[in-house]
Amino acid sequence: MDAFSTAACETGMQVLEGLPAKLAALEQAKAGLFPTAADKVRDEMAAQAAKASDPSVSNQAIIGIIDKVQLAVVDLNSDLQKLERMIRMSIPKAEDGNNWGVEVQLGVIKIVTDARAAMKATNDGLKEYFKERSEAVEKLAKSSETKTSEGTSETEATGGEKDTKETKKSKSTDTSTKTGTACADRTLHLAAIDTRWYFHLQDGYVAAIDGAGYAADSIAKNIQKIQHPRGNQGGDESGRPSYY
């Protein structure tokens, strides 16, 4: 396991060194990703909701935000996964006493895993936007309904040279368009869904940046204890990679 452990620790340190720049870039990108002022979001979403009578029209602004938030969250979660591996592979073999450094490692791991769990929840919940919005749009969208009716009638004539019997069939098709109740409240409901998701996505994006930042900061502040939980005892005695 030495080679795996060494690679995990080297990769983790590379991630730790690169995270500040990555987090700064994500923070700077936030203004472009969420450009609408808070007091204007509802109006913008109401304008989108007004187009929802056509079910082929999606709210592309929200979809674009979802795509970018998902990429950022997945990327940061991947970084934290590498950092978690680095710390776990740095935990020494169990011994009696002198475990303060191990407690520090476990405490930092808890911070990392909590941040990762929050990111996973954010990522897993993104699909709910499409379910929630589609149900609201369905109530506004137009639907077509075709009704076909058939009838048969018979007539008989007697007393002439030849009795006659005539059967007539009729068929009619009625196509009607049924429109969902396009009341103001339905449109406002849809606008409220988009508005809530706009702020929800903004919160999830910032929370992912913060979570990764808190975890990286905790690791950086405790890096000596993480790398040398029992001091510089060497690789063989502590069960840690010898390059430390």
Side-chain angles (χ1 to χ4, degrees), residues 80 111 115 119 206-216:
L80 292 192
I111 295 173
M119 291 178 190
V206 173
I209 295 173
D210 288 347
Y214 300 152

Side-chain angles (χ1 to χ4, degrees), residues 223-234:
I223 194 63
Q224 290 301 316
K225 282 294 184 184
I226 290 172
Q227 292 181 334
H228 307 288
R230 293 196 176 118
N232 297 312
Q233 298 179 10

Side-chain angles (χ1 to χ4, degrees):
M1 293 295 293
D2 284 351
F4 180 79
S5 179
T6 299
C9 293
E10 290 176 346
T11 299
M13 290 305 297
Q14 291 172 1
V15 169
L16 187 62
E17 291 170 1
L19 259 179
K22 179 180 290 188
L23 294 176
L26 289 172
E27 182 67 26
Q28 187 175 7
K30 184 179 67 174
L33 185 56
F34 302 96
T36 307
D39 61 341
K40 301 296 183 182
V41 173
R42 185 174 174 276
D43 292 340
E44 185 174 300
M45 298 308 155
Q48 288 292 327
K51 306 173 185 177
S53 57
D54 181 356
S56 67
V57 178
S58 300
N59 190 330
Q60 292 300 319
I62 296 293
I63 292 176
I65 293 173
I66 287 176
D67 289 343
K68 292 178 181 178
V69 168
Q70 186 172 47
L71 287 174
V73 169
V74 169
D75 186 37
L76 291 175
N77 190 27
S78 177
D79 284 345
L80 292 192
Q81 184 179 42
K82 294 180 178 70
L83 292 174
E84 180 183 349
R85 177 185 289 178
M86 176 187 73
I87 302 170
R88 290 189 183 278
M89 295 305 297
S90 299
I91 296 176
K93 64 184 180 181
E95 291 182 3
D96 293 331
N98 195 22
N99 288 316
W100 169 243
V102 177
E103 291 180 15
V104 172
Q105 289 176 320
L106 296 178
V108 175
I109 287 175
K110 178 68 164 54
I111 295 173
V112 174
T113 55
D114 285 351
R116 290 192 62 209
M119 291 178 190
K120 185 178 185 302
T122 296
N123 189 37
D124 290 346
L126 294 178
K127 64 182 182 297
E128 294 302 317
Y129 167 75
F130 300 99
K131 179 178 182 296
E132 187 176 353
R133 193 177 197 274
S134 64
E135 290 173 352
V137 169
E138 189 176 8
K139 291 179 170 55
L140 289 171
K142 294 180 179 179
S143 61
S144 273
E145 189 177 76
T146 300
K147 296 180 180 178
T148 301
S149 59
E150 293 187 8
T152 302
S153 63
E154 295 184 355
T155 58
E156 291 189 17
T158 58
E161 294 184 359
K162 185 176 180 181
D163 292 345
T164 60
K165 184 176 182 180
E166 184 179 3
T167 300
K168 295 181 179 179
K169 292 185 178 181
S170 63
K171 181 177 181 181
S172 64
T173 301
D174 179 29
T175 301
S176 60
T177 299
K178 184 171 60 180
T179 305
T181 308
C183 65
D185 285 344
R186 287 199 186 278
T187 303
L188 289 174
H189 175 230
L190 182 58
I193 290 173
D194 285 344
T195 300
R196 182 175 67 83
W197 272 93
Y198 182 93
F199 291 120
H200 178 69
L201 291 166
Q202 188 176 53
D203 182 69
Y205 182 83
V206 173
I209 295 173
D210 288 347
Y214 300 152
D217 183 63
S218 181
I219 294 170
K221 287 176 178 176
N222 295 283
I223 194 63
Q224 290 301 316
K225 282 294 184 184
I226 290 172
Q227 292 181 334
H228 307 288
R230 293 196 176 118
N232 297 312
Q233 298 179 10
D236 294 335
E237 293 297 324
S238 64
R240 294 163 42 75
S242 59
Y243 82 93
Y244 286 112

